[in-house]
Amino acid sequence: MRYALTLVLLLPVLALAAGPRGPAVPDYPADQVAPGIYVIHGPREYPTAQNQGFMNNPAFMVTADGVVVIDPGSSVQTGEMVLRQIRRITDRPLLAVLNTHVHGDHWLGNQALRAERPEVPIYAHPRMLQQVAEGAGRDWVERMLSATEGATRGTEVVGPNIAVDDGDTIELGGVTFRFHYFGHVHSLTDLMIEVVGHEVLFLADNATNQRIVRMDDGSFSGSIAALDAAKARISAKVLVPGHGPTGGWEIVDSYREYLAGVYETVVALYGQGVSDFEMKPQVAARLTRFKDWPGFEDELGKHISLAYLEAEGQAF
């Protein structure tokens, strides 16, 4: 019976995966946020058939020797769109791809970059390499297919192949990239990427701007600690979030306020013996400035439940 149920659950995804390749993602502009550094600011909504699953902030840097790409998006179609924007600016070759974490809306576009240059190295945290090897990429391909009603058809798993960890640096085209890892944050795989000497920091989903993200794999206390540590450790002026507009350290301060608003309120109410399903009105009242951010209504209830489990774990 278990196998029959699994087959029934897989049938909708298999149907979506069949048929012709999904349509091209429309072009989005590449905004120059610092000399030689460009960000394609994606839609802030969750993946839908309308946005074809494109919702993150792919970025690239044009160096003396070629192009370094950070998080090329959620599908082969998004990766191809990123390549089109790169080719509007330069014909220099791809040097490397940097993946910030395991959530597929950020890296399934790797496929398009490998198609252009099969030997291009793709860097990520070792935990991401492990999770992709264990099937996380396949899960994300299926999730994007379902959420977009098949618009991402043709996307295949092309994961990272070189591991980098906290404090590691690589030099590409005369530019140094430093990786920062803070443990259990938005997931167990998250890197922040600093472009040394250029005062640019890619936050990934450790802090987002005008967008609430899932925390199913995350830690609220770990995220708050990571943002505090990043402010103390990293010198940058231009901060690129995983979702939402580029800005400065106000992005970190704002998202920390949201995370702390959830976690501190849940911890206080937990101490009073309040059940998680009774907490939402009080938590929401503390977070009214975030109520119009995409994802707020979808995620708040889940965030409260996750924070409750985390508070419960801390109590024992």
Side-chain angles (χ1 to χ4, degrees):
M1 177 64 101
R2 177 165 60 89
Y3 299 111
L5 178 59
T6 300
L7 180 59
V8 169
L9 292 173
L10 281 174
L11 283 175
V13 173
L14 292 173
L16 289 168
R21 194 175 187 269
V25 170
D27 288 345
Y28 287 76
D31 303 316
Q32 185 165 316
V33 300
I37 300 177
Y38 300 82
V39 178
I40 303 171
H41 294 95
R44 280 174 273 154
E45 296 77 18
Y46 276 35
T48 64
Q50 289 69 42
N51 63 28
Q52 298 169 249
F54 176 43
M55 56 176 180
N56 79 309
N57 289 341
F60 57 93
M61 182 171 189
V62 180
T63 75
D65 297 334
V67 182
V68 179
V69 180
I70 299 101
D71 280 0
S74 58
S75 67
V76 64
Q77 292 88 349
T78 301
E80 289 168 348
M81 184 272 290
V82 172
L83 277 171
R84 291 196 300 272
Q85 306 322 303
I86 292 172
R87 295 302 166 227
R88 290 175 187 270
I89 293 165
T90 181
D91 60 359
R92 294 175 189 173
L94 296 175
L95 288 183
V97 181
L98 314 179
N99 291 163
T100 61
H101 65 296
V102 76
H103 295 156
D105 56 310
H106 291 260
W107 64 272
L108 288 173
N110 287 354
Q111 179 185 353
L113 306 188
R114 273 278 172 79
E116 170 153 317
R117 187 186 172 208
E119 70 275 19
V120 69
I122 305 177
Y123 296 82
H125 191 268
R127 286 182 181 269
M128 178 175 169
L129 271 69
Q130 176 185 352
Q131 290 186 20
V132 172
E134 292 171 350
R138 182 185 64 250
D139 293 343
W140 273 97
V141 167
E142 293 173 356
R143 183 176 300 179
M144 298 307 296
L145 270 171
S146 178
T148 65
E149 300 176 19
T152 59
R153 280 192 309 269
T155 301
E156 299 174 359
V157 177
V158 177
N161 63 329
I162 301 178
V164 286
D165 211 331
D166 185 47
D168 288 348
T169 62
I170 57 173
E171 185 173 321
L172 299 163
V175 177
T176 300
F177 296 82
R178 178 177 291 127
F179 300 92
H180 300 272
Y181 178 73
F182 297 98
H184 196 184
V185 189
H186 175 63
S187 72
L188 285 167
T189 66
D190 300 272
L191 295 169
M192 294 187 195
I193 302 172
E194 178 187 2
V195 188
V196 178
H198 293 259
E199 298 188 301
V200 174
L201 176 65
F202 291 92
L203 293 163
D205 283 3
N206 298 290
T208 58
N209 190 12
Q210 301 173 34
R211 165 71 138 73
I212 304 298
V213 294
R214 65 198 295 273
M215 287 290 287
D216 301 46
D217 308 320
S219 165
F220 284 88
S221 60
S223 293
I224 293 165
L227 295 180
D228 291 343
K231 287 193 74 171
R233 178 195 297 186
I234 304 168
S235 176
K237 290 183 179 178
V238 177
L239 276 66
V240 182
H243 302 266
T246 293
W249 285 101
E250 73 279 357
I251 296 173
V252 168
D253 294 338
S254 183
Y255 206 68
R256 188 194 187 284
E257 180 183 340
Y258 172 82
L259 295 166
V262 173
Y263 189 62
E264 291 172 2
T265 307
V266 167
V267 168
L269 293 173
Y270 174 83
Q272 297 169 25
V274 180
S275 299
D276 57 346
F277 60 85
E278 301 174 301
M279 294 180 178
K280 189 171 182 179
Q282 294 179 70
V283 177
R286 179 168 172 177
L287 299 172
T288 54
R289 69 172 291 242
F290 301 98
K291 65 182 178 62
D292 295 326
W293 285 24
F296 182 83
E297 289 297 331
D298 294 301
E299 297 296 335
L300 183 59
K302 289 188 286 184
H303 284 183
I304 291 168
S305 296
L306 291 165
Y308 185 94
L309 290 173
E310 192 170 333
E312 190 174 49
Q314 295 283 354
F316 291 97

